[in-house]
């Protein structure tokens, strides 16, 4: 049974206020994915990427939507107890009573924020991003999922989290069937997360990790909803290998949301199975 290492697991339904570590600290190329709901009675909430898990430390990025009649989103930083100059937009991407998905992408310039797949703002770095090693969430929002991808130190001795991204960029609601090249191929500690829902009346679907243009499939994941089976296999040299079907519980059920986290072993080209783990989440 595949057991995710520290920091790999998403945080589900955290109590607010929430403070948690970002393993290995932030660096360019990482992303943070947050899913939640905006209550009808909300006044404001905040997301801080900060230097340390303690109160009063420096904040590299402060994200603060305010619902006060002049709805706006405020961006800022705090150093040595002093807030910097505010940046703000009156384009409010959040709606009361609605669910949201936001991604904070860390790049060379700063923190690029997207909400529900739409770019909102880029806040340039004011504090060296390598100092930022904690996430704090406060206020009135209801948070359901927090995921971090690209974590751990540059030597790769620890994994930081997961997020539905490809080459650092999230892919929202891709058309199915869908095919994309994995930049650099699968390798040790590279993680891919596929998040979706099994619609009512669904029969089956598949996720394939293919080997270049050869037609070989290193890992074939085939949930068969009506049959209540989860088939795993590989396809090598024009032939299917021996199926694996044994599972203690079928994680793919009609009407259920899921995410599938797949971690590379570095042995794909030799057709070794890729470990996977399935999580339920609340939409």
């Amino acid at each position: 049974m595949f057991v995710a290492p520290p920091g790999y697991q998403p945080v589900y339904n955290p109590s607010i206020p929430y403070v948690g570590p970002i393993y290995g600290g932030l660096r360019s190329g990482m992303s943070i994915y947050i899913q939640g709901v905006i209550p009808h009675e909300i006044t404001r909430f905040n997301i801080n990427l900060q230097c340390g898990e303690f109160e009063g430390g420096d904040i590299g990025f402060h994200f603060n939507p305010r619902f006060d009649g002049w709805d706006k989103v405020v961006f800022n930083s705090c150093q040595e107890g002093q807030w910097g100059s505010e940046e703000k937009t009156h384009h409010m991407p959040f709606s009361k009573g609605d669910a949201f998905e936001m991604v904070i992408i860390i790049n060379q310039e700063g923190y690029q924020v997207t909400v529900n797949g739409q770019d909102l703002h880029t806040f340039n770095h004011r504090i060296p991003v390598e100092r930022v090693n904690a996430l704090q969430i406060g206020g009135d929002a209801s948070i359901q999922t927090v995921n971090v991808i690209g974590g751990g130190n540059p030597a790769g001795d620890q994994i930081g989290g997961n997020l539905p991204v490809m080459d650092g960029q999230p892919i929202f609601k891709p058309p199915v069937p869908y095919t994309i090249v994995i930049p650099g191929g699968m390798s040790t500690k590279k993680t891919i997360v596929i998040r979706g829902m099994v619609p009512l009346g669904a029969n089956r679907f598949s996720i394939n990790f293919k080997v270049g243009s050869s037609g070989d499939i290193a890992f074939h994941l085939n949930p068969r909803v009506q049959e209540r089976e989860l088939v795993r296999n590989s396809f090598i040299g024009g032939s299917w290998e021996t199926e694996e079907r044994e599972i203690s519980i079928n994680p793919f059920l009609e009407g259920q949301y899921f995410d599938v986290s797949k971690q590379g072993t570095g042995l794909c080209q030799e057709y070794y199975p890729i470990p996977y783990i399935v999580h339920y989440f609340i939409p």
Side-chain angles (χ1 to χ4, degrees):
M1 177 173 160
F2 172 59
V3 178
Y8 173 86
Q9 294 280 11
V11 177
Y12 292 110
N13 301 310
S15 299
I16 304 299
Y18 166 82
V19 180
I22 299 172
Y23 293 97
L26 283 183
R27 62 181 182 273
S28 181
M30 292 178 64
S31 299
I32 297 171
Y33 173 88
I34 299 173
Q35 181 191 47
V37 175
I38 303 298
H40 287 284
E41 66 278 8
I42 192 169
T43 57
R44 62 176 61 189
F45 73 98
N46 68 269
I47 297 168
N48 292 329
L49 295 175
Q50 56 191 44
C51 306
E53 298 176 55
F54 55 90
E55 187 174 353
D58 289 352
I59 300 172
F61 179 52
H62 171 71
F63 177 83
N64 181 209
R66 301 177 184 177
F67 302 80
D68 53 9
W70 294 272
D71 291 1
K72 56 186 171 290
V73 182
V74 173
F75 313 86
N76 209 337
S77 63
C78 185
Q79 299 185 63
E80 299 180 353
Q82 299 294 317
W83 288 101
S85 57
E86 286 186 350
E87 300 175 17
K88 59 186 176 183
T89 175
H90 285 277
H91 170 62
M92 174 58 73
F94 304 98
S95 299
K96 292 183 179 181
D98 287 350
F100 70 87
E101 292 181 324
M102 66 173 290
V103 181
I104 304 172
I105 301 169
I106 295 85
N107 54 39
Q108 296 287 348
E109 292 72 34
Y111 302 91
Q112 178 186 348
V113 181
T114 68
V115 178
N116 297 327
Q118 301 297 316
D119 282 335
L120 177 63
H121 185 75
T122 296
F123 182 84
N124 290 336
H125 293 300
R126 299 178 183 177
I127 294 176
V129 69
E130 295 80 10
R131 292 184 53 208
V132 178
N133 58 10
L135 170 69
Q136 186 269 342
I137 304 175
D140 303 324
S142 174
I143 304 301
Q144 295 166 343
T145 309
V146 178
N147 289 355
V148 179
I149 193 167
N153 64 40
D157 63 358
Q158 190 169 25
I159 296 176
N162 55 40
L163 168 68
V165 302
M166 185 61 68
D167 199 21
Q169 298 294 325
I171 300 170
F172 292 98
K173 298 180 179 179
V176 177
Y178 180 75
T179 302
I180 192 170
V181 173
I182 300 173
M186 289 297 289
S187 59
T188 302
K189 298 185 179 180
K190 178 176 286 188
T191 303
I192 295 176
V193 175
I194 302 166
R195 173 173 296 232
M197 186 190 76
V198 180
L200 294 174
N203 183 21
R204 62 176 64 186
F205 65 95
S206 62
I207 299 169
N208 294 318
F209 282 69
K210 304 184 73 173
V211 183
S213 59
S214 67
D216 290 349
I217 299 173
F219 181 53
H220 169 74
L221 181 67
N222 179 209
R224 300 179 182 180
V225 182
Q226 302 301 324
E227 301 171 32
R228 297 185 176 274
E229 291 185 327
L230 179 59
V231 175
R232 291 90 67 200
N233 207 342
S234 57
F235 184 82
I236 304 171
S239 300
W240 287 103
E241 303 294 301
T242 303
E243 288 184 347
E244 297 178 9
R245 293 172 176 256
E246 296 74 17
I247 53 173
S248 58
I249 185 172
N250 186 355
F252 297 96
L253 302 173
E254 290 182 87
Q256 290 280 357
Y257 288 78
F258 66 87
D259 68 47
V260 182
S261 307
K262 298 199 180 304
Q263 184 188 24
T265 63
L267 300 172
C268 274
Q269 51 272 61
E270 298 181 27
Y271 308 109
Y272 282 78
I274 303 173
Y276 70 92
I277 187 167
V278 177
H279 309 281
Y280 287 120
F281 70 93
I282 301 173

